[in-house]
């Protein structure tokens, strides 16, 4: 039961998608040409999803979504339950 629930939360939860910023909100933010937006440190453009994700890790082939700050815990439970 834990595998389908954690898969659901991994695939359906917002991974930490950031809104686009045309003006630099903070001096630590950097311009990203692919996304055509400023992004904060530790946020990266996911070219498969076409968005900037906070603390982006990878795009999961099993869920078809980016794995980032807001769905990482559910992803870890999913992987542990599948591989454990």
């Amino acid at each position: 039961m834990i595998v389908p629930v954690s898969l659901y939360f991994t695939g359906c939860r917002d991974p930490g998608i950031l809104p686009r910023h045309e003006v630099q909100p903070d001096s630590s933010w950097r311009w990203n040409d692919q996304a055509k937006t400023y992004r904060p440190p530790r946020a990266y453009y996911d070219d498969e999803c076409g968005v900037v994700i906070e603390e982006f890790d990878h795009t999961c082939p099993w869920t078809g979504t980016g794995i980032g700050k807001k769905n990482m815990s559910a992803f870890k439970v999913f992987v542990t339950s599948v591989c454990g």
Side-chain angles (χ1 to χ4, degrees):
M1 182 69 177
I2 205 162
V3 173
V5 171
S6 61
L7 176 62
Y8 171 79
F9 280 115
T10 301
C12 296
R13 183 178 286 169
D14 171 16
I17 297 171
L18 296 173
R20 298 192 187 274
H21 295 275
E22 293 180 6
V23 178
Q24 188 174 19
D26 184 271
S27 63
S28 66
W29 287 45
R30 301 288 178 241
W31 179 256
N32 184 284
D33 284 329
Q34 292 175 308
K36 301 199 181 343
T37 185
Y38 284 95
R39 63 171 180 80
R42 300 195 65 209
Y44 297 96
Y45 179 70
D46 178 4
D47 59 342
E48 292 186 41
C49 297
V51 294
V52 175
I53 299 176
E54 191 173 9
E55 296 181 24
F56 176 68
D57 188 66
H58 69 285
T59 302
C60 178
W62 296 331
T63 63
T65 188
I67 305 299
K69 181 179 182 176
K70 293 184 179 179
N71 66 353
M72 179 60 79
S73 58
F75 176 74
K76 287 179 180 178
V77 171
F78 171 67
V79 169
T80 302
S81 62
V82 169
C83 299

